């Protein structure tokens, strides 16, 4: 998706949770430009747009490698943000998501959902130390 697609989605719907699933680098989340090439939006701009839609956005999940710096910045404007502190395998990212959304679906809050995602990874001997939870610009869970 492009940043234009992302912006249009935020305009067309109200979201409680925004989930990025894809690739990240030390430069942040990867989108595509109009030619299909990798594009890294400025982290401050990504934080601003997500913050401008919060509420109703209460949680952002950056389920992509090396996104903890973006997560910390976004968490200054959105109540809860999950980012990955290191590379994460596709299997690990999927298992985290399963646990996270099982907990949200059961009515748990974002902190409990984060904990469930990490527990699910731990049970399957995956990279359970990679996901990080940020609130108010600070890492709250490791």
């Amino acid at each position: 998706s492009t940043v234009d697609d992302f912006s249009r989605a935020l305009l067309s719907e109200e979201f409680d949770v925004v989930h990025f699933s894809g690739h990240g680098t030390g430069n942040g989340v990867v989108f595509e430009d109009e030619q299909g090439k990798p594009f890294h939006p400025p982290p401050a701009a990504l934080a601003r747009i997500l913050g401008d839609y919060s509420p109703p956005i209460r949680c952002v999940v950056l389920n992509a490698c090396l996104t903890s710096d973006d997560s910390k910045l976004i968490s200054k404007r959105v109540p809860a943000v999950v980012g990955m502190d290191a590379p994460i395998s596709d299997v690990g990212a999927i298992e985290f998501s399963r646990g996270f959304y099982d907990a949200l679906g059961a009515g748990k809050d974002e902190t409990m959902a984060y904990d469930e995602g990490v527990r699910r990874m731990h049970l399957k001997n995956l990279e359970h130390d990679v996901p990080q939870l940020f609130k108010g610009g600070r890492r709250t869970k490791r």
Side-chain angles (χ1 to χ4, degrees), residues 111-112 114-115 118 131-134 138-142:
T111 300
M112 181 63 123
Y114 165 85
D115 290 338
V118 170
Q132 307 296 311
L133 178 65
F134 294 85
R138 292 188 165 139
R139 182 186 325 250
T140 63
K141 296 273 188 164
R142 182 167 183 94

Side-chain angles (χ1 to χ4, degrees), residues 56-106:
I57 297 172
R58 67 178 206 257
C59 183
V60 173
V61 179
L62 301 180
N63 204 349
C65 299
L66 303 168
T67 53
S68 62
D69 287 344
D70 284 3
S71 300
K72 182 178 180 181
L73 189 60
I74 293 166
S75 74
K76 293 178 182 179
R77 302 202 47 161
V78 174
V81 182
V82 176
M84 303 300 153
D85 204 29
I88 186 166
S89 67
D90 289 346
V91 173
I94 290 167
E95 286 306 318
F96 175 82
S97 295
R98 283 185 180 150
F100 184 84
Y101 288 107
D102 283 352
L104 285 184

Side-chain angles (χ1 to χ4, degrees), residues 6 9-11 13-20 46-61 74 77-81 110:
F6 173 64
L10 290 174
L11 287 168
E13 301 286 334
E14 287 193 356
F15 299 94
D16 293 327
V17 177
V18 173
H19 187 118
F20 290 88
L46 187 59
R48 180 174 181 190
I49 194 169
L50 289 163
D52 286 350
Y53 287 93
S54 178
I57 297 172
R58 67 178 206 257
C59 183
V60 173
V61 179
I74 293 166
R77 302 202 47 161
V78 174
V81 182
E110 293 79 17

Side-chain angles (χ1 to χ4, degrees), residues 102-125:
D102 283 352
L104 285 184
K108 306 302 182 192
D109 68 11
E110 293 79 17
T111 300
M112 181 63 123
Y114 165 85
D115 290 338
E116 184 60 28
V118 170
R119 279 192 290 271
R120 196 73 57 93
M121 293 175 76
H122 199 121
L123 283 169
K124 297 193 176 184
N125 199 30

